[in-house]
Amino acid sequence: MDRLIKSATRTVWSLFLFVSMVSVINLLRITYYPVAHRVSYEKIIRVVLLSESLDSHAAVILSAASSFLLILSVWKNGRGKRLFLAILSVINLSALLSFYEFDYALAALAIGISSCILLHSRENRDAMALAKGVAIILCAIEAISLLRWLLHPLQLPSRIADPLSRFSAIEAELFYAPADLTPIAMLVLLFSYPLFHLARKLKGVAKSSSVVDANPGLSLDGRIMLAVAVAITALVASYPYLPSVNPAGKYVGTDIYYYEIWLDEMEKGPSSAFDFAIRHVSSRPLFLLALHYLKPGNLQTVTFLEWIGVPVFCLLTVSAYFFGSVFKGRNFAGLAALLSSFSINVVAGMYTAYYSNAIALALLYAALAALLLALRRRSCLFALFSAAPSVIAIFVHPWTWAFLQAAVCAFAGLQLLSVARSRKFSEALRNMMPVIVFVAANVIADLLKTLLLAAPSAAGISYELAGGAVSMNEFYNLWFNLYFTFRFFAGGYFNNFFAITSAILGAWWLSKQDGNAEKMLLAWLSVGSVPTLFVNFWVNERIFYNLPIQMLSAAGLCFWLPRYRSSGMLRKALLILFVLVNLNYALRSMANLV
């Protein structure tokens, strides 16, 4: 009987904590800008679970039940401290009569009793059980919402679709509740290397050796996860072009407009195709030539460009797996590939049709993975081979190539700077020879491109873009640029607070490790940090797009999920919740592209 009462108490408290969270969110009256049919509109978050009146009645009933169970639990244990908590609960219960505005009273009641429950649960080690209960409730909402988006292409009758749509509306409002914090979270992520380095120095935390086979504390087969990730990527990339979702067959990627013009121009003849790609669109000649020769002659250009996103983003997912396997092992790689399948790269990339950018990212993930292997083997010859994917990226998307070359140079510079005044400098220089060979091979390839093809160099194109975008005035417009990027640009699809927060945790975990791969990722972040302060949102969004957020997010899960070793169920619930949140983010975004 005691076990049954304890289980019922935890259930009631978990429900009340969830309702309390909703009450606080409603009280804040957060403004957000969701996208419906590709149009952003202003809306104030007001989470309605059942109905306005029923929600209020349910909150009061749960408050009374939670207070009664709390008093009962305190009375049973019979300690003065707990008795104080019970009295505090009754005082908070009377707050309902102390406020004129019902929403304020309800929020005060929720915060007061929730605080008492959490304090009491902490003393009795029930916090894990309550967290598990709240996580399960959120998982249920996310799962039903996901079901709505999965069934959306079937055009279900309203009697089925409407109840599911209610859950998807609740899920969307909970997702966007912390959206205003995303610009701040991104700044923390970008400056995580110096911030966390300073924090470690102040706390006196020494670096540990690199974790070789990382996983979030669960049994995950990397190869199965890769297969699932590729399937999800294909679903997300094809979703807005399904006939039932997009009956008019309209393209949804903004850059498809330009690709169509370019390909139509190239189809005038074999010689004109090469000449046009090299001379007129010199930034991505290889990708344009690949599209030109892959396109079937009897297929419309727009239709081909709509569906080419599926293999493009699948390649990015596979490349993320390859990098992850070199970085932290197969289990970590599977998780990274899964997170890549519904990442900002895929979701925002589908809105913008950043196909060449995504291909360049895939090539550079492969190049950096091979470079890490070269560093482990201390092989300059292997480093030369590892430069091959990066050299190809010169002809695919030079800005992404330049960004990653800067990251590699920053990594080598930080490594050498750390031992500049010690006897280990010559040894560190020898260890960095593969990096020097890698960068030299890329620079020589860029020079050869200019000399042999008479085309602008990738470094020159990137410098011209960066030089024209940097301005001190943009520093004063920093908040506007960040706000616009995360709220409006590409439908606000860059705004995924949960992925970026998880990436921050991953950056903290990696900053405590002393491996080359960890330092490489942190240097990658650092390259984008200072420019973000002085460029407009057009450049900012490209910086954010090129960040390894899915890698850092996977590292974040590997950092904080194993902390719940005492509750395997909670670990699973949190991981499932994280995946469901991001799946909903991806499919909701794709459904509203049309």
Side-chain angles (χ1 to χ4, degrees):
M1 180 61 72
D2 287 344
R3 183 176 295 180
L4 183 63
I5 293 173
K6 193 171 185 180
S7 178
T9 300
R10 288 173 175 173
T11 302
V12 171
W13 284 351
S14 296
L15 282 169
F16 179 70
L17 289 173
F18 170 72
V19 171
S20 299
M21 179 184 71
V22 169
S23 299
V24 172
I25 290 173
N26 288 340
L27 179 67
L28 294 175
R29 298 181 62 81
I30 301 166
T31 302
Y32 75 115
Y33 301 88
V35 173
H37 304 297
R38 212 178 174 85
V39 177
S40 298
Y41 64 97
E42 183 178 315
K43 187 176 181 182
I44 294 175
I45 292 179
R46 181 75 184 179
V47 182
V48 179
L49 301 174
L50 301 171
S51 69
E52 291 281 357
S53 59
L54 286 176
D55 284 1
S56 300
H57 286 98
V60 173
I61 291 169
L62 282 171
S63 299
S66 298
S67 299
F68 173 75
L69 291 171
L70 182 61
I71 294 170
L72 192 66
S73 178
V74 170
W75 184 271
K76 185 177 179 180
N77 291 324
R79 292 189 182 180
K81 196 173 185 180
R82 294 189 175 89
L83 182 59
F84 170 76
L85 289 175
I87 295 170
L88 190 60
S89 302
V90 176
I91 293 172
N92 278 285
L93 188 59
S94 65
L96 190 61
L97 305 174
S98 305
F99 291 86
Y100 177 77
E101 183 70 34
F102 183 75
D103 281 351
Y104 286 95
L106 199 60
L109 186 67
I111 293 170
I113 298 177
S114 296
S115 301
C116 295
I117 290 172
L118 292 173
L119 286 170
H120 179 67
S121 299
R122 186 178 179 184
E123 289 183 357
N124 290 277
R125 299 181 180 180
D126 282 341
M128 291 289 187
L130 292 181
K132 181 180 69 176
V134 174
I136 290 172
I137 293 169
L138 291 171
C139 280
I141 293 172
E142 295 288 341
I144 297 171
S145 174
L146 180 61
L147 183 64
R148 180 255 195 272
W149 296 120
L150 290 173
L151 298 178
H152 176 61
L154 301 180
Q155 297 180 330
L156 297 173
S158 59
R159 69 177 182 276
I160 299 175
D162 290 348
L164 295 177
S165 297
R166 177 181 286 275
F167 280 93
S168 63
I170 294 169
E171 187 279 330
E173 291 187 309
L174 293 176
F175 178 85
Y176 283 111
D180 283 340
L181 300 175
T182 307
I184 299 171
M186 179 56 79
L187 286 177
V188 173
L189 178 63
L190 286 168
F191 287 93
S192 57
Y193 183 82
L195 287 175
F196 295 159
H197 180 74
L198 179 62
R200 280 198 332 274
K201 289 289 185 182
L202 293 175
K203 294 179 69 174
V205 178
K207 285 192 173 185
S208 61
S209 58
S210 179
V211 177
V212 178
D213 189 15
N215 64 79
L218 301 170
S219 299
L220 302 172
D221 189 299
R223 289 166 295 188
I224 295 175
M225 296 282 282
L226 174 62
V228 172
V230 170
I232 292 174
T233 307
L235 171 64
V236 173
S238 61
Y239 193 92
Y241 294 115
L242 296 175
S244 55
V245 176
N246 188 357
K250 297 185 296 184
Y251 66 80
V252 300
T254 52
D255 281 9
I256 287 179
Y257 170 80
Y258 302 104
Y259 282 115
E260 183 186 11
I261 293 173
W262 294 334
L263 288 182
D264 287 345
E265 188 70 27
M266 293 170 71
E267 286 181 355
K268 293 179 179 179
S271 59
S272 65
F274 184 82
D275 182 71
F276 184 85
I278 296 296
R279 308 277 184 252
H280 297 280
V281 194
S282 56
S283 61
R284 61 202 78 191
L286 188 59
F287 183 63
L288 283 179
L289 288 170
L291 292 178
H292 173 71
Y293 289 112
L294 286 172
K295 177 187 168 295
N298 59 346
L299 188 65
Q300 287 188 348
T301 302
V302 170
T303 304
F304 171 72
L305 290 170
E306 287 172 349
W307 290 93
I308 199 65
V310 175
V312 164
F313 291 114
C314 284
L315 180 62
L316 180 60
T317 297
V318 172
S319 184
Y321 177 85
F322 176 56
F323 182 86
S325 63
V326 174
F327 181 31
K328 292 289 181 185
R330 186 183 295 169
N331 290 331
F332 178 88
L335 182 60
L338 181 64
L339 299 187
S340 181
S341 67
F342 38 66
S343 64
I344 292 171
N345 298 123
V346 177
V347 176
M350 282 297 296
Y351 187 104
T352 54
Y354 282 171
Y355 295 156
S356 56
N357 200 155
I359 288 288
L361 266 179
L363 289 167
L364 291 166
Y365 270 129
L368 290 181
L371 177 59
L372 290 174
L373 290 174
L375 284 167
R376 290 175 190 173
R377 300 177 182 182
R378 298 184 181 181
S379 170
C380 290
L381 182 62
F382 198 89
L384 193 61
F385 287 117
S386 73
S390 181
V391 168
I392 295 172
I394 294 173
F395 302 88
V396 174
H397 202 257
W399 302 286
T400 302
W401 171 84
F403 189 85
L404 268 294
Q405 296 307 311
V408 172
C409 291
F411 160 72
L414 290 171
Q415 288 286 81
L416 295 175
L417 190 63
S418 63
V419 293
R421 297 182 180 179
S422 69
R423 297 178 180 178
K424 296 181 179 180
F425 181 77
S426 58
E427 181 184 353
L429 186 61
R430 285 195 300 271
N431 292 337
M432 286 296 107
M433 282 307 296
V435 176
I436 296 171
V437 170
F438 178 89
V439 174
N442 278 273
V443 171
I444 292 170
D446 192 27
L447 290 174
L448 288 175
K449 174 198 172 186
T450 305
L451 295 174
L452 299 178
L453 301 178
S457 68
I461 292 171
S462 304
Y463 179 78
E464 183 180 354
L465 173 69
V470 174
S471 170
M472 192 63 193
N473 289 332
E474 299 300 340
F475 179 75
Y476 303 118
N477 293 328
L478 176 62
W479 182 251
F480 168 80
N481 289 333
L482 292 174
Y483 190 85
F484 187 88
T485 300
F486 287 109
R487 281 302 202 181
F488 300 107
F489 187 85
Y493 288 176
F494 280 86
N495 200 327
N496 189 335
F497 175 79
F498 303 98
I500 294 171
T501 303
S502 179
I504 293 172
L505 294 174
W508 167 251
W509 186 55
L510 296 181
S511 72
K512 298 192 293 182
Q513 299 175 43
D514 199 26
N516 285 326
E518 290 83 359
K519 292 176 181 177
M520 182 82 76
L521 278 182
L522 293 174
W524 191 340
L525 283 178
S526 299
V527 165
S529 58
V530 176
T532 297
L533 304 178
F534 300 100
V535 295
N536 58 33
F537 62 85
W538 289 107
V539 180
N540 267 341
E541 52 90 11
R542 289 289 187 169
I543 291 174
F544 302 156
Y545 192 83
N546 286 326
L547 295 178
I549 290 176
Q550 61 267 53
M551 289 296 159
L552 294 166
S553 189
L557 294 178
C558 291
F559 166 66
W560 61 271
L561 283 182
R563 292 174 171 266
Y564 303 108
R565 295 183 190 278
S566 59
S567 178
M569 184 65 183
L570 176 59
R571 242 184 6 253
K572 292 176 183 176
L574 290 174
L575 180 59
I576 292 170
L577 177 60
F578 189 83
V579 171
L580 289 175
V581 165
N582 284 280
L583 271 173
N584 272 290
Y585 152 73
L587 293 184
R588 178 180 65 249
S589 300
M590 294 302 99
N592 284 296
L593 275 180
V594 183

